[in-house]
Amino acid sequence: MGRETSRTRIEARMVEVGGRLVQATAPSHWTTARLDAWIDWADGATDLPLAIDGFVEDLTAKAQARGLVKDVRARTRFRDDLTAALLQGVIAIGPAPFGEASPVIDAAAPEMSAVLSARVAAHRGREAATFAAAEFARRLQAVMDAVLRCEGDPGACADPGQNPS
């Protein structure tokens, strides 16, 4: 990492990623499941302190650009505290969501249940649409493959009712 921002002990260990063994560098107290999740978060990078450092630098620059850290000292403290919290597993930060931001819901508001139900329904709808699109693409690819494999009359090969595949 270059900076001593955390007292977290870092170690290298072998993990399975994509069906092959790779050496990953991560905090020693992370479980294999946590390590796998962070490798996914880092888009397959296995030097997680380096990936976290890059992420934190980017986030710190954004915070500074928005005036959330006023000077070099505040910027350094923000960067170091955020890096330490991520490495210690106190927090985890994902990418910014696409689309509209989730509203703040007052837990005491009478409409809270309805608002939460609507958010859950919208999320499930997006998930179902994503799954349906992937399944449709898979099935369409199978039809295209069957047409390409077919030997014989091109008209019959292009007709799903007549294509033996």
Side-chain angles (χ1 to χ4, degrees), residues 29-81:
H29 70 279
W30 282 7
T31 63
T32 302
R34 178 179 279 180
L35 182 57
D36 289 344
W38 277 91
I39 289 172
D40 286 345
W41 171 87
D43 292 327
T46 55
D47 186 342
L48 293 170
L50 183 64
I52 288 171
D53 191 48
F55 177 79
V56 168
E57 268 307 320
D58 184 50
L59 200 57
T60 302
K62 289 177 183 177
Q64 187 174 17
R66 291 187 180 188
L68 300 174
V69 289
K70 303 293 183 195
D71 56 20
V72 174
R73 186 178 199 176
R75 185 186 198 288
T76 302
R77 188 172 52 249
F78 176 82
R79 184 194 62 228
D80 292 350
D81 289 349

Side-chain angles (χ1 to χ4, degrees), residues 26 63 89 157:
C157 287

Side-chain angles (χ1 to χ4, degrees), residues 77-125:
R77 188 172 52 249
F78 176 82
R79 184 194 62 228
D80 292 350
D81 289 349
L82 183 56
T83 300
L86 288 165
L87 289 173
Q88 291 168 6
V90 176
I91 61 171
I93 301 174
F98 295 106
E100 99 182 49
S102 295
V104 175
I105 304 168
D106 180 1
E111 67 275 3
M112 183 193 80
S113 180
V115 171
L116 284 176
S117 293
R119 297 294 296 177
V120 167
H123 172 74
R124 288 180 178 162

